[in-house]
Amino acid sequence: MSRNRAATDWHPASWESKVAAQQATYPDKAALERVVADLSRLPPIVTSWEVDALKDEIARAQRGEAFILQGGDCAETFDECTSEDIVAKLKILLQMSLVMLFGMKKPVVRVGRMAGQYAKPRSADIETRNGESLPSFRGDLVNRSPFTSADRVPDPSLILRGYERAALTLNFVRSLIDGGFADLHHPEYWDLGWVGHSPMADEYHKIVASISDSLDFLETISGSPVHKTRRADIYAAHEGLHLHYEQAQTRYLDRRQRWYDLTTHFPWIGMRTAAMDGAHVEFFRGIANPIGIKIGPGMTRDWLQDLIRVLNPNNEPGRLTLIHRFGAKSVEDHLPEMISAVKETGSPVLWVSDPMHGNTESTPDGVKTRRFDNILSELESSFRVHESMGSHLGGVHLELTGDNVTECTGGARGLTDGDLARAYKSTVDPRLNYEQAMEIAMRISGLHKSQFKSA
Ligand code: PEP
Ligand code: CO
């Protein structure tokens, strides 16, 4: 059933009548309104047919016929909107997806945490240093990170700067993909020196060799490169946190008789903004995009069922993705109840594991990190719990980078806390580096195989 424009209870700004958690307080309201008006006149970043195509892909993944790989930075930064950074992010996502495609023998749908992942929730509105209190840094879309009052005051012009960078990012990604991105077809050119450092080296070498052989074989019989990705083959996603940003590009499409948030294909609701009576749930219920909801240990059975009823009242396939992030230690305790709560609703959902956000810890020196083994362990448990309950894990959500950073510990090279200082770049959450991300992709293929072997 379509959400009719004439329906009076929802419009792109109806969220304003609710409590909006995690929003910046702009001192100059008139300037904010001007920016929202300016932004709403710009062309959209994505189109409704791409959004619908992703919804179809998610519906396939819900049926077990495809797998979703969602990955990227915790927060994109304006400084890293460079060709090198974008190439590196695209490369790691494409290479991981190829490993997973060959391992799982099913299509892998790539979704970047990119082209708009600029706003962050914070645990406190105010940060105090040496007796001085200033607004917390909320991401490049909102304010600037240096600890001065001029930098920390929310600046509405950053909303436009962020939108422009999001558009530049996706534009470049699309051009690279159209150009073929040759690197993808030649695993022999991938940076795989790390493989020899792993106890699983033999297995990893076999995976890479089998990808090369399969590609050669397919190219020989078809006479053309096999992996000609089409434009829409990488989708964009970000946390739909900053509601003025989302609202400004939300359009009613007469042809479809629905509202679309055209800042991105796939916005998600973060863990801190999923209150039933809150502004985010109000905004998200009115848009036609496929949407994600992060669920953590605080989620209850009733709350989850209420979210599903409000956000997917017609049980539409492809509409809802539940991204669970319980932590390696809690996933076995919490996930079964969530799965049974969803079953009771009869609504189709895609289950995705985010093995990052429940596994963040601080070193004795106060550096935020995550251990590779905990990330892997949450993934293993997630596959297992789903399988044991007659459900299935249809995707993963990872914070990663194509760079050689040292932010998470462990992995084939056995990074330790002592390595973190060497190349720690994230200003927010720690990401898997290139090698760790590739290793996770190889492990996921194996885990997925065991989930489906009995099917
Ligand atoms: C995030 O994805 O960066 C994030 C803040 O996650 P969560 O809402 O799950 O804590
Ligand atoms: Co994060």
Side-chain angles (χ1 to χ4, degrees), residues 67-336:
F67 195 83
I68 306 288
L69 167 63
Q70 187 174 19
D73 297 313
C74 181
E76 289 178 284
T77 65
F78 289 2
D79 273 356
E80 283 177 2
C81 184
T82 67
S83 60
E84 295 78 16
D85 283 294
I86 295 167
V87 165
K89 282 179 213 179
L90 187 60
K91 187 167 138 183
I92 182 67
L93 277 181
L94 292 176
Q95 292 185 359
M96 288 174 80
S97 69
L98 205 55
V99 166
M100 291 162 64
L101 170 78
F102 279 94
M104 297 179 176
K105 311 259 182 291
K106 65 172 71 167
V108 175
V109 183
R110 307 121 180 161
V111 181
R113 279 178 68 114
M114 58 160 61
Q117 176 55 19
Y118 290 121
K120 294 308 295 175
R122 300 309 307 261
S123 49
D125 287 344
I126 298 292
E127 182 179 345
T128 302
R129 288 191 203 173
N130 303 323
E132 190 182 4
S133 292
L134 294 174
S136 293
F137 174 56
R138 291 187 170 276
D140 285 0
L141 196 67
V142 174
N143 54 3
R144 299 174 177 87
S145 66
F147 194 73
T148 73
S149 50
D151 286 310
R152 288 295 176 89
V153 63
D155 176 354
S157 73
L158 297 174
I159 298 174
L160 286 168
R161 299 292 84 80
Y163 189 75
E164 290 155 3
R165 278 177 167 76
L168 289 169
T169 301
L170 205 56
N171 178 59
F172 190 46
V173 163
R174 290 176 158 160
S175 304
L176 288 168
I177 287 182
D178 278 355
F181 215 66
D183 202 69
L184 187 62
H185 312 143
H186 296 286
E188 64 273 25
Y189 300 144
W190 296 0
D191 312 328
L192 294 170
W194 58 275
V195 165
H197 295 266
S198 166
M200 296 182 69
D202 284 352
E203 193 164 323
Y204 292 165
H205 279 302
K206 271 188 216 139
I207 293 174
V208 177
S210 83
I211 295 173
S212 295
D213 289 350
S214 310
L215 286 169
D216 284 349
F217 177 67
L218 288 171
E219 292 189 0
T220 308
I221 57 170
S222 70
S224 65
V226 270
H227 209 72
K228 272 227 166 289
T229 42
R230 284 170 297 114
R231 324 195 115 206
D233 272 351
I234 284 234
Y235 295 95
H238 64 249
E239 179 173 349
L241 181 68
H242 192 301
L243 291 173
H244 286 106
Y245 181 82
E246 308 299 322
Q247 168 202 326
Q249 276 293 337
T250 295
R251 296 160 184 230
Y252 187 77
L253 298 183
D254 281 322
R255 217 167 3 98
R256 314 214 173 219
Q257 304 237 322
R258 299 185 77 169
W259 295 89
Y260 284 79
D261 177 352
L262 298 177
T263 62
T264 190
H265 301 111
F266 185 34
W268 76 84
I269 304 181
M271 246 235 328
R272 296 163 188 77
T273 50
M276 277 314 296
D277 55 356
H280 291 79
V281 170
E282 171 61 18
F283 175 76
F284 275 73
R285 84 182 168 90
I287 57 172
N289 303 56
I291 62 173
I293 312 171
K294 290 283 202 97
I295 60 177
M299 182 55 65
T300 63
R301 201 179 178 88
D302 289 352
W303 182 4
L304 184 55
Q305 292 183 339
D306 286 346
L307 284 167
I308 291 172
R309 273 191 276 274
V310 167
L311 293 170
N312 194 17
N314 303 315
N315 291 348
E316 185 188 1
R319 160 72 168 167
L320 273 191
T321 297
L322 300 180
I323 307 166
H324 49 81
R325 27 89 78 229
F326 293 113
K329 289 200 188 71
S330 318
V331 59
E332 310 247 3
D333 290 340
H334 288 96
L335 185 54

